[in-house]
């Protein structure tokens, strides 16, 4: 559009260039005067038009978060496309506000800008100003980089030789346009290599700033029917009940039918002389152009008359060309006069726009690649081209690639993977410098290509930097890492020279993912096998907060599987020889023949170790294996233990081979083999025995608490949307979700007929009933029998957050890893660093004398981690059942038995207690392996032969991952008496809820699974007589946006929703006084609502922390004082008391009032 100009000279007949042709400034589709975006067809010369004969401007739409969307304002756009309409556009982007970062928003009244109809954004006029930045030579290249953001065409391309005069400077070159005579102007170009990443840049000496303006007075609309008609033939008044037209404003309109020389006159009073912009809204569906005269105080504005083009269609109204006119203090007359005797236009109103005034708000003008003139067909007509999309994508990737945080981020991750879990700042800096410069120098050798991001240079910096090579650092307790479980079998196969047996061409390590939680090309989640910020659940790393990512997959099931697999490799090669009840415990599969004999024959193997040691003494052999398998880190104490064990071992036959295999297995059991660290043993201490808690005084009313984590962020407003509510809340829900999911152009709102309506039974709730997803029929059944509770708009909350201060929350909002971690910790104040919400409960109960245990059936989880030394460590179990630990394998048919002795005592001795200055990682591994052996023996015996009565299989006969986890949970609960357990905590969970696309279809299958598995679990708990002593809390890291995305298909189907905050959850248990919906929905789902951020991200109003602590209190037999984290931020009241002697429930009301001495006292 011709910004601020009329652009008449550009409205020409394309076939008669150079002539003025008013009627050619039209949409070629309709041959009318309406300017439209898209729907463009015709010959090539008709496409890609830019000009309109009317004024237009770009406005800024600013939401409460300071994000900006573009809005086009033009006089003759009959229907502004939604993506450019001030009222409809949601295409917000981040801008960098100048000064102190202040911006106008609905929350602060919008300043002099106007509030939009939905009251969720401010609409501001804009003025773009391009200013010169440097008027003299800059001090350095850094000054240029920090001040200039607009690129320039290289001088040798911008013009022929001599167009620019170049002046070399220190670190950069200045190119002056020849016409500037060496004076710095906005056209001056700076050429330099970026000081950080070395990329060649050409920058223009210009700063482009968007300044916001406002209006001193709101736009004035004067209806045509209120004007004074006059002239020889008076315009006709047409009222609403006299016409089928309905798109006009006011009570009617004035029609100049047969009103030649007629006019309309308005009286406009102003307090002082002022310039104002006037225009008229009119309709004329005839394909003709009418000419009218506009007079202000009897002065004709345009001698040639003002042309009103056809509006193109019946009942299509548009604005005329606008004019800036002077108004005098006092009364002014404005006339619209029509001279033609034929049918003239219909006039709706006179619009007067008052002068804009500057504001104090401004932001740096953002780059924009894609045209806003959209394509509407496959031929690509319009201006949204693939080329521009590629340019924008490249720019985004370049931004990430060259960002100063990229190099250290990548370096930290790579250093962690290649040897050090907690790299020093110096090591990270050296690696980042290598990434940035593309080179690394060591020992006189230069590595790298010299290009930014050279992986050769990065790898050299990681592996050759003194921190990676100095043996001195082995003495640092925080140095090194636990090795990934997958690396151990790979290393021994390489180091001990695995050799294929005859006729075999390859070997395969079988189903490692099910054994070790790790396998190439298979990941549990999109975040890989483990999280880089994971802190182990045992060992000395907890207190200082040292991370050990690999510890996340080092737990009892993986340790037992690792030891079984390594022993099987040594004794039988890659085979299926280790078998327990039909389950292969080795890393191989059946090769088709051979026996399982621990005699060195490797009859059943596809490959075996062929290494032949060179040492002639026991000590020499152990040292040789130390070099091969432990990189020389094996402590002298460990070497001495292995030497003593080796020398005292006397196999019945195959002495040399059996003793060598024995030595292999001993070395593979040491912490030095499983970590990249050294060990100092504490000979004055012994590692404690079994860490499973039990009560010798009898069982006190067993209770179980289950933490069900649905990872990825559940779209819980599809699980529990509003149904019958105040203020048309369901209709608002449908609107913000883009419409109903069963419509032709589907949104993601669920139709009422597809919901299970349940009463809230809560007079304080905004809804009398809510809807439950139809695939959760069993939870509906539990609710009806008062065994289920729903909580609306619950989430991580540190204080009663508002739109103004929510960013102060001590968590990275909307990020999976951060919010998953904090949901499991529930310690936003950081009072119990490194602990989880269930672990702190267990600590309190243990201190009160209860026998407590914590089990994760979903890998190692921080939710179960308590303070060091307070209670027993959490136990991780596999959902596939417990694999038998076979340190000594006995084949019943082989009379000579297994040559290898029982390795259990040797493993425990090699992993004895370490000194305080020994390696943290080694101590963590040794503690884990010792606990695993002790815990495994007890639990394996308890669970052996245990079965369930409920059917956890689906209709196809398959057990889902969730069903397997809940089945294992039920089996453990069934053993509580044999374990002498009084309080059990369980963590179960599944992923797959991050539905950025196809959310409707995705939730149907996932809720089916949840429904079936919970039904089977409850049936089993009831069979065991434990349902009234059980509660299950469902969690997810965050809710999802109410507003859907556009989906991946490009046709509006397959829509999903994105990361948000507050959501809904359920709690089930036989001990609940359920049948209630707690919490509260927002009263308004639009951004106008006080709790709703952009795209329907809701600020939660119910805090999880106190809720969970209340359930913890229900696990005590008597009420004890327990501090509830964040309790000082909220007031609440208890709405139901003990049921079955078990649990409390409550609703929170945001505020700052304390509730004291109502069953429990909460102190700040």
């Amino acid at each position: 559009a011709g910004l601020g100009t009329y652009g008449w000279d550009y409205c020409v007949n394309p076939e008669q260039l150079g002539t003025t042709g008013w009627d050619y400034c039209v949409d070629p589709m309709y041959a009318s005067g309406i300017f439209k975006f898209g729907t463009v067809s015709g010959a090539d010369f008709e496409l890609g038009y830019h000009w309109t004969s009317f004024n237009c401007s770009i406005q800024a739409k600013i939401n409460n978060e300071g994000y900006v969307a573009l809005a086009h304002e033009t006089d003759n756009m009959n229907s502004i496309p939604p993506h450019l309409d001030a009222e409809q556009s949601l295409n917000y982007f981040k801008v960098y506000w100048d000064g102190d970062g202040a911006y106008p928003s609905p929350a602060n009244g919008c300043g002099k800008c106007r509030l939009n109809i939905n009251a969720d954004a401010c609409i501001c006029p804009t003025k773009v100003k391009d200013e010169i930045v440097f008027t003299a030579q800059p001090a350095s290249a850094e000054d240029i980089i920090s001040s200039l953001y607009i690129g320039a065409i290289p001088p040798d391309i911008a013009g022929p030789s001599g167009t620019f005069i170049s002046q070399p400077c220190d670190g950069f070159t200045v190119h002056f346009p020849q016409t500037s005579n060496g004076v710095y102007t906005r056209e001056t170009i700076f050429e330099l290599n970026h000081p950080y990443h070395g990329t060649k840049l050409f920058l223009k000496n210009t700063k482009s700033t968007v300044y916001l303006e406002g209006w001193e007075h709101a736009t004035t609309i004067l209806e045509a029917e209120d004007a004074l008609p006059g002239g020889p033939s008076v315009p006709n008044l047409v009222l609403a009940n006299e016409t089928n037209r309905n798109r006009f404003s006011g009570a009617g309109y004035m029609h100049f039918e047969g009103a030649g020389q007629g006019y309309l006159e308005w009286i406009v009073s102003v307090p002082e002389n002022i310039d104002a912009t006037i225009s008229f809204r009119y309709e004329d569906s005839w394909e003709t152009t009418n000419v009218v005269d506009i007079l202000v105080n009897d002065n004709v504005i345009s001698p040639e008359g003002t042309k009103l083009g056809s509006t193109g269609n019946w009942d299509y109204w548009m604005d005329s060309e606008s004019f800036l006119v002077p108004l005098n203090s006092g009364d002014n007359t404005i006339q619209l006069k029509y001279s033609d005797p034929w049918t003239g236009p219909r006039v709706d109103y006179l619009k007067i726009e008052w002068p804009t005034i500057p504001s104090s708000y401004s932001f740096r003008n953002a780059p924009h690649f894609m045209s806003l003139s959209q394509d509407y067909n496959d031929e690509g007509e319009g201006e949204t081209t693939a080329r521009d999309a590629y340019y924008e994508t490249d720019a985004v990737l370049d931004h990430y690639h060259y960002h100063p945080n990229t190099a250290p981020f990548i370096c930290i991750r790579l250093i962690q993977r290649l040897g050090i879990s907690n790299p020093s700042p110096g090591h990270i800096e050296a690696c980042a410098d290598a990434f940035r410069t593309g080179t690394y120098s060591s020992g006189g050798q230069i590595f790298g290509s010299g290009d930014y991001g050279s992986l050769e240079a990065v790898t050299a910096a990681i592996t050759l930097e003194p921190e990676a090579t100095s043996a001195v650092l082995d003495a640092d307790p925080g140095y090194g890492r636990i090795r990934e479980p997958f690396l151990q079998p790979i290393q021994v196969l390489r180091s001990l020279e695995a050799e294929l047996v005859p006729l075999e061409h390859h070997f395969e390590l079988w189903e490692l993912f099910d054994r070790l939680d790790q396998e190439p090309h298979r990941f549990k989640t999109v975040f890989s096998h483990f999280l880089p910020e994971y802190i182990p659940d045992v060992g000395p790393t907890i207190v200082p907060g040292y991370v050990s990512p690999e510890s996340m997959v080092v737990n009892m099931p993986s340790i037992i599987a690792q030891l079984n697999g390594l022993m099987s490799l040594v004794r039988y090669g890659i085979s299926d020889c280790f078998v327990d009840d039909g389950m292969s415990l080795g890393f191989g599969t059946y090769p088709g023949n051979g026996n399982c004999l621990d005699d060195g024959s490797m009859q059943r193997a596809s490959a075996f170790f062929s290494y032949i040691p060179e040492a002639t003494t026991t000590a020499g052999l152990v040292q040789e294996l130390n070099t091969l398998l432990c990189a020389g880190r094996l402590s002298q104490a460990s070497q001495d233990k292995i030497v003593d064990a080796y020398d005292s071992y006397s196999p019945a036959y195959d002495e040399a081979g059996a003793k060598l295999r024995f030595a292999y297995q001993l070395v593979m059991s040491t912490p030095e083999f499983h970590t990249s660290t050294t060990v100092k043993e504490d000979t004055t201490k012994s590692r404690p025995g079994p860490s499973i808690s039990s009560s010798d005084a009898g069982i006190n009313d067993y209770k179980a608490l289950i933490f069900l984590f649905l990872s990825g962020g559940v779209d819980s407003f599809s699980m529990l949307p509003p149904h019958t509510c105040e203020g048309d809340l369901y209709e608002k829900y449908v609107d913000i979700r883009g419409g109903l999911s069963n419509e032709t152009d589907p949104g993601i709102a669920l139709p009422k007929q597809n919901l299970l309506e349940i009463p809230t039974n809560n007079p304080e709730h905004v809804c009398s009933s809510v809807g439950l997803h139809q695939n959760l029929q069993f939870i509906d059944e539990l609710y009806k029998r008062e065994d289920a509770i729903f909580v609306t708009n619950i989430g991580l909350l540190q204080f009663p957050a508002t739109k103004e201060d929510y960013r102060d929350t001590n968590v990275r909002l909307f990020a999976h890893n951060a919010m998953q971690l904090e949901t499991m910790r529930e310690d936003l104040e950081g009072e119990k660093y490194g602990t989880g919400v269930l672990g702190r409960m267990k600590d309190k109960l243990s201190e009160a004398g209860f026998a407590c245990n914590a089990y994760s059936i979903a890998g190692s989880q921080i939710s179960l981690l308590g303070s060091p030394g307070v209670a027993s460590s959490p136990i991780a179990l596999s959902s596939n059942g417990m694999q038998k630990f076979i340190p000594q394998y006995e084949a019943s048919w082989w009379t000579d038995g297994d040559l290898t002795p029982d390795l259990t005592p040797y493993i425990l001795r090699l992993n004895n207690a370490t000194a305080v200055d020994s390696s943290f990682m080694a101590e963590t591994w040794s503690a884990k392996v010792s606990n695993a052996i002790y815990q495994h023996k007890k639990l394996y015996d308890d669970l052996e032969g245990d079965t369930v009565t409920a059917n956890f299989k689906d209709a196809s006969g398959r057990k889902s991952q969730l069903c397997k986890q809940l089945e294992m949970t039920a089996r453990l609960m069934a053993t509580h008496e044999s374990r002498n357990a009084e309080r059990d905590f369980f963590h179960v969970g599944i992923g797959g809820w991050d539905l950025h696309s196809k959310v409707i279809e995705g939730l149907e299958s996932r809720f089916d699974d949840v429904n079936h598995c919970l039904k089977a679990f409850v049936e089993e708990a009831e069979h065991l007589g434990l349902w009234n002593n059980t509660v299950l809390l469902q969690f997810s890291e965050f809710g999802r946006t109410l507003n859907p995305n556009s989906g991946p298909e490009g046709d509006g189907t397959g829509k999903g929703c994105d990361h948000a905050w507050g959501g809904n959850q359920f709690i089930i248990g036989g001990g609940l006084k359920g049948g209630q919906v707690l919490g509260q929905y927002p009263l308004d789902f639009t951004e106008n609502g006080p709790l709703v951020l952009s795209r329907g991200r809701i600020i939660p109003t119910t805090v999880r922390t106190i809720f969970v602590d209340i359930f913890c209190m229900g696990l005590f037999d008597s009420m004890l004082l327990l501090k509830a984290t964040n309790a000082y931020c909220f007031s609440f009241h208890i709405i139901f008391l003990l049921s079955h002697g078990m649990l409390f429930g409550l609703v929170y009301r945001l505020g700052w009032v304390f509730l004291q001495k109502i069953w429990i006292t909460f102190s700040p």
Side-chain angles (χ1 to χ4, degrees):
L3 300 181
T5 66
Y6 301 148
W8 294 107
D9 291 341
Y10 296 90
C11 296
V12 297
N13 184 340
E15 295 176 326
Q16 299 177 17
L17 297 178
T19 65
T20 300
W22 303 104
D23 292 335
Y24 291 97
C25 195
V26 298
D27 184 322
M29 193 73 178
Y30 297 106
S32 70
I34 304 173
F35 177 75
K36 290 176 178 284
F37 283 79
T39 60
V40 182
S41 64
D44 289 343
F45 62 77
E46 294 178 302
L47 305 179
Y49 55 86
H50 295 72
W51 293 94
T52 173
S53 58
F54 297 86
N55 288 343
C56 56
S57 62
I58 296 178
Q59 298 178 336
K61 180 180 182 181
I62 304 104
N63 67 10
N64 273 307
E65 298 175 73
Y67 283 56
V68 171
L70 295 180
H72 280 200
E73 178 73 18
T74 185
D75 293 342
N76 73 328
M77 290 178 68
N78 183 60
S79 178
I80 299 178
H83 66 287
L84 292 172
D85 182 75
E87 299 299 336
Q88 300 181 68
S89 176
L90 295 175
N91 291 337
Y92 288 107
F93 55 90
K94 182 179 180 179
V95 300
Y96 295 90
W97 295 93
D98 293 332
D100 60 1
Y103 54 87
S105 69
N108 60 29
C110 286
K112 294 296 184 179
C113 300
R114 72 172 178 87
L115 192 65
N116 71 334
I117 293 175
N118 291 329
D120 58 6
C122 303
I123 310 298
C124 305
T126 63
K127 183 172 291 185
V128 177
K129 187 175 182 181
D130 291 342
E131 303 167 278
I132 186 173
V133 177
F134 293 105
T135 57
Q137 181 177 312
S140 65
E142 286 76 10
D143 284 350
I144 298 173
I145 290 297
S146 63
S147 303
L148 301 182
Y149 300 95
I150 300 176
I153 298 174
D156 59 341
I157 298 176
S161 177
T163 303
F164 286 85
I165 299 173
S166 301
Q167 176 181 312
C169 301
D170 185 14
F172 57 91
T173 299
V174 185
H175 301 283
F176 297 99
Q178 187 180 40
T179 55
S180 71
N181 296 319
V183 176
Y184 283 85
T185 69
R186 289 194 292 114
E187 304 304 319
T188 301
I189 297 174
F190 292 95
E191 176 184 351
L192 69 158
N193 294 326
H194 195 286
Y196 179 74
H197 48 71
T199 304
K200 175 76 73 176
L201 298 177
F202 294 92
L203 297 174
K204 194 175 181 180
N205 189 27
T206 301
K207 176 183 179 183
S208 185
T209 304
V210 178
Y211 292 92
L212 300 189
E213 298 183 326
W215 295 277
E216 192 67 51
H217 306 287
T219 298
T220 300
I221 300 295
L222 299 177
E223 296 292 341
E225 60 269 28
D226 295 331
L228 176 67
S233 298
V234 178
N236 304 302
L237 171 63
V238 181
L239 297 175
N241 61 354
E242 298 172 344
T243 178
N244 290 327
R245 290 175 169 82
N246 55 33
R247 295 182 178 178
F248 53 85
S249 66
Y253 58 83
M254 301 298 290
H255 189 189
F256 279 86
E257 182 176 14
Q261 302 302 314
Y263 64 84
L264 295 174
E265 182 176 283
W266 292 266
I267 305 298
V268 180
S269 297
V270 294
E272 58 185 2
N273 294 345
I274 193 171
D275 291 337
T277 302
I278 65 172
S279 60
F280 299 88
R281 188 170 188 261
Y282 73 98
E283 188 256 34
D284 190 350
S285 58
W286 293 95
E287 293 189 3
T288 59
T289 298
N290 293 297
V291 180
V292 298
D293 289 320
I294 299 174
L295 297 86
V296 176
N297 296 326
D298 297 326
N299 296 314
V300 176
I301 298 302
S302 176
E304 299 85 5
T306 299
K307 297 191 176 186
L308 303 181
S310 170
T311 55
N313 288 281
W314 186 82
D315 203 22
Y316 272 28
W317 300 76
M318 60 189 291
D319 286 351
S320 71
E321 176 187 353
S322 58
F323 295 94
L324 184 66
V325 301
L327 298 180
N328 302 321
S329 175
D331 291 342
N332 296 264
T333 61
I334 299 178
Q335 276 190 5
L336 175 66
K337 181 180 290 187
Y338 181 59
S339 302
D340 199 304
W342 302 101
T343 298
R346 296 165 180 83
V347 179
D348 186 14
Y349 57 68
L350 163 67
K351 179 168 68 174
I352 307 175
E353 296 175 284
W354 306 104
T356 59
I357 57 175
S359 74
S360 59
Y361 305 116
S362 62
F363 57 85
R364 176 161 60 86
N365 201 357
H368 182 67
F369 290 80
M370 298 295 295
S371 170
L372 296 175
S373 178
Q374 291 180 305
D375 290 336
Y376 280 85
N377 54 47
D378 295 336
E379 284 72 32
E381 296 174 342
E383 297 178 1
T384 51
T385 65
R387 179 203 65 181
D388 292 341
Y390 293 145
Y391 286 163
E392 184 161 4
T393 303
D394 283 343
V396 171
L397 293 177
D398 282 347
H399 176 75
Y400 292 143
H401 183 56
Y402 293 115
H403 194 282
N405 288 346
T406 298
F409 176 86
I410 290 176
C411 284
I412 291 172
R413 298 294 181 264
L414 290 179
I415 294 172
Q416 284 184 321
R417 297 281 55 75
L418 295 175
I420 306 173
S421 292
N422 299 273
S424 71
H427 198 177
I428 297 169
E429 182 180 11
C431 175
D433 285 343
F435 188 101
R436 179 177 60 83
T437 62
T439 61
Y440 180 79
S441 178
S442 177
Q445 179 73 32
I446 297 177
F447 299 89
S449 62
D451 296 325
Y452 178 85
S454 169
L455 286 182
E456 178 185 331
V458 168
T459 304
I462 292 173
T463 56
L464 300 178
E465 186 68 11
E467 182 170 339
T469 58
S470 174
V472 174
L473 288 175
D474 285 339
D476 181 352
Y479 186 71
R481 66 163 180 158
I482 292 177
R483 299 170 66 205
E484 301 172 47
F486 173 72
L487 294 182
Q488 281 89 317
I490 297 300
Q491 182 200 354
V492 296
L493 288 168
R494 287 174 172 170
S495 298
L496 301 181
E497 300 177 3
E499 180 179 310
L500 291 168
V501 300
L503 303 181
E504 288 289 340
H505 301 288
H506 73 280
F507 60 80
E508 181 178 2
L509 298 179
W510 187 250
E511 294 182 351
L512 293 184
F513 188 79
D514 295 333
R515 292 166 166 78
L516 305 181
D517 273 345
Q518 194 180 26
E519 185 176 334
H521 316 300
R522 289 187 66 183
F523 305 92
K524 280 189 174 181
T525 74
V526 296
F527 302 108
S528 189
H529 304 290
F530 31 71
L531 298 177
E533 63 271 15
Y534 181 76
I535 299 174
D537 50 7
V538 297
T541 62
I542 299 173
V543 174
Y546 277 34
V547 303
S548 176
E550 297 80 7
S551 293
M552 195 169 181
V553 293
V554 177
N555 47 52
M556 184 174 71
S558 68
I559 289 171
I560 297 300
Q562 180 79 285
L563 292 176
N564 280 337
L566 291 172
M567 292 173 192
S568 176
L569 281 180
V570 173
R571 300 178 201 178
Y572 310 105
I574 298 178
S575 70
D576 65 338
C577 279
F578 259 31
V579 179
D580 175 46
D581 194 23
M583 178 189 295
S584 174
L585 308 184
F587 290 148
T589 57
Y590 178 53
N593 55 72
N595 295 318
C596 295
L597 303 176
D598 182 17
D599 62 357
S601 62
M602 306 295 168
Q603 292 183 25
R604 204 176 176 94
S606 58
F608 60 93
F609 299 144
S610 66
Y611 179 74
I612 301 175
E614 297 179 357
T616 57
T617 64
T618 304
L621 171 64
V622 173
Q623 185 58 49
E624 192 171 332
L625 295 181
N626 176 22
T627 301
L628 284 173
L629 301 179
C630 302
R633 291 186 298 268
L634 195 61
S635 70
Q636 190 59 52
S638 293
Q639 293 184 51
D640 292 344
K641 291 178 184 179
I642 295 173
V643 168
D644 290 345
Y646 183 95
D647 288 341
S648 61
Y649 171 47
S650 299
Y653 58 92
D654 186 31
E655 180 173 1
K659 295 188 74 165
L660 178 61
R661 294 192 297 275
F662 182 46
Y664 286 165
Q665 293 173 83
L666 292 177
V667 174
M668 292 178 195
S669 302
T670 63
E672 291 94 336
F673 173 73
H674 292 276
T675 68
S676 62
T677 63
T678 59
V679 177
K680 293 182 182 179
E681 184 179 3
D682 187 344
T683 58
T684 65
K685 296 180 181 178
S686 296
R687 195 173 298 283
S691 61
I692 298 178
S693 297
S694 62
S695 172
D696 297 328
I699 299 172
N700 295 320
D701 186 24
Y702 174 78
K703 295 180 175 66
L705 186 62
I706 303 165
F707 188 102
L708 169 59
F709 195 80
L710 304 181
S711 176
V714 178
D715 180 24
S716 52
F717 274 91
S718 286
M719 180 182 78
L720 195 76
H723 191 282
T724 305
C725 311
E726 300 173 10
D728 298 323
L729 195 60
Y730 176 78
E731 288 72 20
K732 295 176 181 177
Y733 155 81
V734 172
D735 184 58
I736 196 168
R737 303 233 88 176
L740 294 172
S741 60
N742 60 355
E743 293 177 341
T744 305
D745 182 16
I748 60 172
L750 299 179
K752 281 189 175 182
Q753 63 266 28
N754 292 352
L755 296 172
L756 304 170
E757 184 178 7
I758 59 175
T760 58
N761 298 323
N762 179 359
E764 296 186 7
H765 205 282
V766 67
C767 297
S768 59
S769 67
V770 294
L772 182 63
H773 195 283
Q774 63 182 355
N775 290 25
L776 295 173
Q777 302 96 327
F778 180 68
I779 299 181
D780 178 51
E781 178 185 325
L782 291 177
Y783 187 86
K784 289 175 180 175
R785 70 190 210 197
E786 296 190 354
D787 283 356
I789 292 171
F790 292 99
V791 189
T792 51
N793 198 23
I794 189 170
L796 279 170
L797 203 58
Q798 187 178 6
F799 53 84
T802 66
K803 287 183 177 181
E804 288 70 38
D805 61 10
Y806 77 91
R807 290 187 179 91
D808 296 335
T809 301
N810 189 26
V811 64
R812 286 187 291 122
L813 295 172
F814 321 124
H816 282 295
N817 57 340
M819 295 193 75
Q820 282 181 10
L821 177 65
E822 292 304 333
T823 298
M824 296 182 194
R825 292 183 65 242
E826 293 290 351
D827 184 24
L828 290 177
E829 297 292 339
E831 297 176 353
K832 292 288 185 179
Y833 185 77
T835 65
V837 59
L838 300 183
R840 294 195 299 275
M841 287 187 191
K842 183 165 63 75
D843 287 351
K844 288 294 181 182
L845 288 162
S846 297
E847 289 173 341
F850 290 87
C852 304
N853 291 294
Y855 302 92
S856 172
I857 325 296
S860 301
Q861 300 293 345
I862 195 173
S863 62
L864 300 171
L865 188 59
S867 297
V870 176
S872 60
S873 300
I875 301 169
L877 294 170
S878 170
S879 61
N880 294 319
M882 293 191 68
Q883 182 181 130
K884 187 174 183 179
F885 179 44
I886 309 182
Q888 184 177 27
Y889 186 56
E890 297 180 0
S892 59
W893 58 271
W894 182 246
T895 56
D896 289 329
D898 196 329
L899 286 177
T900 302
D902 183 355
L903 290 175
T904 303
Y906 297 100
I907 296 173
L908 293 175
R909 280 198 293 271
L910 288 168
N911 287 277
N912 196 19
T914 60
V916 293
D917 59 342
S918 182
S919 164
F920 292 170
M921 302 301 164
E923 171 59 21
T924 296
W925 162 262
S926 293
K928 279 178 171 284
V929 73
S930 300
N931 286 343
I933 291 173
Y934 288 130
Q935 294 165 354
H936 183 275
K937 173 63 177 171
K938 172 65 175 170
L939 289 174
Y940 188 88
D941 293 343
D942 287 335
L943 290 171
E944 190 173 19
D946 181 67
T947 59
V948 296
T949 60
N951 182 18
F952 284 87
K953 295 180 179 179
D954 60 21
S956 67
R958 170 185 169 273
K959 288 181 190 176
S960 70
Q961 190 63 31
L962 178 60
C963 281
K964 289 180 181 179
Q965 292 182 33
L966 288 173
E967 181 182 21
M968 175 57 76
T969 300
R971 290 178 62 194
L972 283 164
M973 290 170 59
T975 67
H976 72 276
E977 291 186 354
S978 64
R979 293 185 289 111
N980 292 327
E982 296 174 305
R983 300 291 184 268
D984 277 340
F985 297 86
F986 299 94
H987 183 116
V988 298
I990 53 170
W993 299 89
D994 192 20
L995 296 172
H996 290 282
S997 63
K998 300 182 180 179
V999 64
I1000 296 297
E1001 302 91 326
L1003 287 178
E1004 288 177 355
S1005 61
R1006 286 162 177 79
F1007 282 149
D1008 259 342
D1009 182 43
V1010 170
N1011 189 74
H1012 168 69
C1013 297
L1014 289 178
K1015 183 178 182 180
F1017 172 75
V1018 173
E1019 288 176 358
E1020 187 65 21
E1022 289 175 332
H1023 171 74
L1024 296 171
L1026 297 176
W1027 178 235
N1028 286 344
N1029 299 74
T1030 302
V1031 65
L1032 180 149
L1033 307 174
Q1034 173 261 315
F1035 287 89
S1036 194
E1037 61 261 45
F1038 46 58
R1040 304 192 79 85
T1041 56
L1042 294 178
N1043 186 255
N1045 56 41
S1046 58
E1049 307 300 332
D1051 59 0
T1053 62
K1055 293 175 180 174
C1057 44
D1058 305 313
H1059 303 181
W1061 194 356
N1064 310 314
Q1065 72 177 66
F1066 62 81
I1067 305 165
I1068 62 174
L1072 293 175
K1073 186 174 180 181
Q1076 303 176 77
V1077 177
L1078 309 180
Q1080 190 62 275
Y1081 287 133
L1083 293 173
D1084 188 348
F1085 287 140
T1086 70
E1087 287 187 44
N1088 187 38
L1091 296 172
V1092 184
L1093 305 173
S1094 60
R1095 294 199 56 216
R1097 293 174 295 149
I1098 300 177
I1099 299 173
T1101 49
T1102 303
V1103 59
R1104 289 180 182 145
T1105 310
I1106 308 176
F1107 223 107
V1108 175
D1109 283 343
I1110 288 292
F1111 285 114
C1112 174
M1113 296 306 299
L1115 296 173
F1116 285 91
D1117 282 350
S1118 59
M1119 296 302 100
L1120 303 176
L1121 178 65
L1122 174 66
K1123 179 174 180 180
T1125 307
N1126 301 343
Y1128 61 89
C1129 290
F1130 304 91
S1131 67
F1132 54 88
H1133 67 277
I1134 295 174
I1135 64 170
F1136 61 91
L1137 300 179
L1138 286 173
S1139 177
H1140 303 293
M1142 175 84 179
L1143 299 171
F1144 288 105
L1146 67 161
V1147 159
Y1148 304 96
R1149 293 173 176 172
L1150 295 180
W1152 297 90
V1153 182
F1154 293 92
L1155 176 71
Q1156 294 183 331
K1157 298 181 180 178
I1158 300 184
W1159 290 96
I1160 309 166
T1161 299
F1162 292 89
S1163 64

